[in-house]
Amino acid sequence: MANPHDILRKYWGYEDFRPLQEDIIESVLAGRDTLGLLPTGGGKSLTFQVPSMLLDGLTVVVTPLISLMKDQVDNLRERGIKATYFHAGLSRAEQKLGMDRCRLGKVKILYVSPEKLRSEPFTAQLRQMNVSLNKSSASLAVSKSLSLKAAVSPSNRKVKWSSSNPKIATVNASGVVYAKAPGKVTITA
């Protein structure tokens, strides 16, 4: 059976993960609600793309950035990963073709704009599919209040996170945030 390192080598050609990526991926694969916070260029996309290749079903990624969707899907397709996107600018024919591909299992990663998730016909179809993982780059909705604080080391620019309420979320030594109970997450830096 494949593991995260096998997927990383096969599709991305890298031998090792960047700092924190593997911790986040292991948390996701363990089925935990995980908030992975990495700096710009830290490889956040791999933290859901690698698990998506190991899990059965469809991974849904929510992002308001259409240009990001297109770039990510083009990049994934170049690597041989079946991906597509949905946003309000697609024609009905493009939407039908994309939905048919998802329904038939010909898509592994689906990028969706937030407004598409407000469409009842779209979400009704999505509920009929085997969605194994969903990732939101816009927000994390969970029910109690929590504040995560970041302390940035000036010498190595590493970020250390702390949780204001360990009953809701904890932060491990690597900086991975684990949600322990439903709650609303507010991030302050």
Side-chain angles (χ1 to χ4, degrees):
M1 181 173 169
N3 64 49
H5 284 275
D6 295 336
I7 298 298
L8 184 68
R9 275 189 293 276
K10 178 178 179 179
Y11 292 102
W12 284 271
Y14 300 127
E15 288 298 316
D16 294 308
F17 290 100
R18 290 181 183 171
L20 302 179
Q21 285 179 320
E22 193 167 10
D23 292 327
I24 294 167
I25 290 167
E26 287 175 7
S27 178
V28 169
L29 289 173
R32 292 198 272 308
D33 291 334
T34 305
L35 172 62
L37 302 166
L38 296 172
T40 301
K44 291 178 285 294
S45 296
L46 281 181
T47 65
F48 60 87
Q49 291 169 343
V50 168
S52 74
M53 300 307 294
L54 293 165
L55 298 169
D56 290 331
L58 183 67
T59 292
V60 178
V61 180
V62 182
T63 179
L65 305 172
I66 294 172
S67 61
L68 173 74
M69 281 186 205
K70 291 178 181 178
D71 289 346
Q72 292 274 323
V73 168
D74 289 346
N75 184 289
L76 290 168
R77 287 177 177 169
E78 287 174 12
R79 296 175 186 287
I81 298 171
K82 300 170 186 174
T84 194
Y85 54 82
F86 282 93
H87 58 79
L90 297 179
S91 70
R92 285 184 190 242
E94 290 171 317
Q95 290 181 45
K96 182 182 180 332
L97 177 62
M99 194 56 74
D100 288 345
R101 291 182 64 232
C102 289
R103 197 176 301 107
L104 295 170
K106 295 184 177 190
V107 172
K108 195 68 180 148
I109 303 176
L110 171 63
Y111 286 79
V112 182
S113 63
E115 68 269 10
K116 286 304 291 179
L117 289 180
R118 284 184 247 156
S119 162
E120 180 52 39
F122 179 82
T123 56
Q125 290 182 67
L126 202 55
R127 283 191 290 271
Q128 301 302 312
M129 296 178 201
N130 177 21
V131 176
S132 59
L133 182 63
N134 60 64
K135 185 256 184 198
S136 171
S137 64
S139 65
L140 174 68
V142 273
S143 77
K144 296 179 184 170
S145 172
L146 168 71
S147 176
L148 298 173
K149 297 202 180 206
V152 182
S153 166
S155 60
N156 60 13
R157 295 179 23 189
K158 286 191 176 183
V159 178
K160 179 161 176 67
W161 292 94
S162 61
S163 168
S164 66
N165 189 339
K167 290 181 180 177
I168 297 173
T170 58
V171 182
N172 75 7
S174 299
V176 177
V177 179
Y178 296 101
K180 292 178 140 189
K184 181 178 178 193
V185 174
T186 304
I187 298 173
T188 59

